[in-house]
């Protein structure tokens, strides 16, 4: 099982409240919304530049 890593993110209150609004509108938690946006960013990048080749750890 893959262990998930923790990422801390600092947001000003207005941005956090707006993100919460969008998250609730789309039926996600704030964490779920952030993950959705990160995955969409990666997908868009790979669509334009090709798959990201990660070295073995």
């Amino acid at each position: 099982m893959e262990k998930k890593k923790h990422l801390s993110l600092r947001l000003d209150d207005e941005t956090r409240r707006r993100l919460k609004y969008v998250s609730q509108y789309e039926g996600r938690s704030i964490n779920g919304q952030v993950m959705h946006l990160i995955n969409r960013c990666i997908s868009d990048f790979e669509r334009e530049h090709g798959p990201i080749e990660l070295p073995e750890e």
Side-chain angles (χ1 to χ4, degrees):
M1 185 170 109
E2 182 181 347
K3 183 177 178 184
K4 295 189 179 206
K5 304 292 182 184
H6 178 83
L7 173 66
S8 180
L9 181 64
R10 292 188 181 111
L11 302 172
D12 62 77
D13 190 54
E14 182 177 343
T15 300
R16 185 195 57 78
R17 290 175 57 214
R18 288 175 184 263
L19 178 59
K20 182 177 179 182
Y21 182 94
V22 173
S23 301
Q24 290 176 336
Y25 181 87
E26 295 193 359
R28 297 184 181 98
S29 65
I30 291 177
N31 186 76
Q33 185 70 13
V34 170
M35 287 304 305
H36 170 73
L37 294 169
I38 289 170
N39 287 327
R40 191 167 74 183
C41 174
I42 292 168
S43 179
D44 290 349
F45 180 92
E46 289 185 322
R47 191 176 305 108
E48 183 174 342
H49 302 283
I52 297 170
E53 300 288 333
L54 298 176
E56 293 291 326
E57 290 189 2

